[in-house]
């Protein structure tokens, strides 16, 4: 974690050193910004700077990131897995697939582990519902179907 880590009023932000990996094998060092809020306790926002228009911002499941620390996790558009290379510290690879080519970034295992431990200090595992997350998610889901759909069913 960088010295820029902030932990204020139910929010946790940190910068970690990472590597943006391109399908052609090119790898560029970058900073990975992690943002967590007790107001939305199920997710971590991850921001990778845009190099060659390939960076981005993603909302990832905190549980998926945690599971990816100890083994391959995720199916579909997001996968997380630990990566061990001889002579190098353990790292974590996160791959996000969307409309274009996949975006892969690698960051230190210890940095992600420490960050997630601190997020769990804010909102312990299994208590996310106590922080209103389920109600907010349900409200968002129901709002998407809002009055326009109701009018169509009348």
């Amino acid at each position: 974690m960088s010295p820029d880590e902030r932990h204020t009023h139910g929010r946790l932000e940190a910068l970690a050193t990472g590597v943006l990996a391109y399908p052609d094998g090119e790898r560029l060092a970058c900073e990975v910004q992690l943002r967590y809020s007790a107001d939305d306790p199920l997710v971590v926002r991850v921001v990778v700077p845009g190099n060659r228009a390939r960076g981005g911002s993603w909302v990832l499941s905190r549980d998926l990131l945690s599971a990816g620390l100890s083994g391959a996790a995720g199916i579909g558009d997001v996968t997380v897995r630990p990566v061990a290379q001889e002579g190098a510290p353990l790292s974590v690879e996160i791959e996000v697939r969307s409309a274009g080519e996949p975006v892969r970034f690698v960051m230190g295992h210890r940095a992600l582990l420490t960050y997630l431990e601190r997020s769990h200090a804010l909102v312990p595992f299994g208590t996310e519902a106590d922080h209103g997350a389920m109600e907010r998610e349900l409200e968002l889901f129901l709002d998407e179907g809002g009055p326009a759909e109701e009018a169509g069913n009348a």
Side-chain angles (χ1 to χ4, degrees):
M1 286 294 126
S2 89
D4 292 339
E5 182 175 317
R6 290 177 286 203
H7 177 209
T8 57
H9 299 73
R11 296 186 189 279
L12 180 62
E13 294 184 10
L15 291 176
T17 301
V19 174
L20 193 55
Y22 296 102
D24 63 7
E26 182 181 2
R27 298 170 65 85
L28 297 172
C30 65
E31 286 187 336
V32 178
Q33 185 178 47
L34 303 167
R35 298 178 188 160
Y36 179 78
S37 172
D39 292 336
D40 198 0
L42 298 173
V43 299
V44 173
R45 283 162 176 73
V46 179
V47 180
V48 176
N51 292 322
R52 290 183 11 192
R54 298 294 300 276
S57 175
W58 300 275
V59 177
L60 304 177
S61 162
R62 181 173 72 156
D63 289 345
L64 176 64
L65 291 172
S66 294
L69 290 170
S70 59
I75 56 173
D77 293 337
V78 180
T79 57
V80 181
R81 67 184 183 96
V83 177
Q85 294 180 343
E86 190 174 325
L90 188 61
S91 59
V92 176
E93 178 185 86
I94 301 169
E95 181 172 295
V96 180
R97 291 178 285 289
S98 58
E101 295 178 340
V103 174
R104 288 186 311 127
F105 50 98
V106 180
M107 62 184 296
H109 185 276
R110 180 169 302 282
L112 183 57
L113 173 64
T114 300
Y115 184 82
L116 291 171
E117 285 174 341
R118 291 179 181 160
S119 79
H120 283 102
L122 285 175
V123 179
F125 179 75
T127 66
E128 294 89 352
D130 298 341
H131 290 265
M134 300 306 248
E135 290 83 8
R136 277 191 297 283
E137 294 298 323
L138 183 58
E139 286 173 16
L140 287 172
F141 176 74
L142 294 175
D143 284 347
E144 287 179 6
E149 272 194 22
E150 290 173 14
N153 292 328

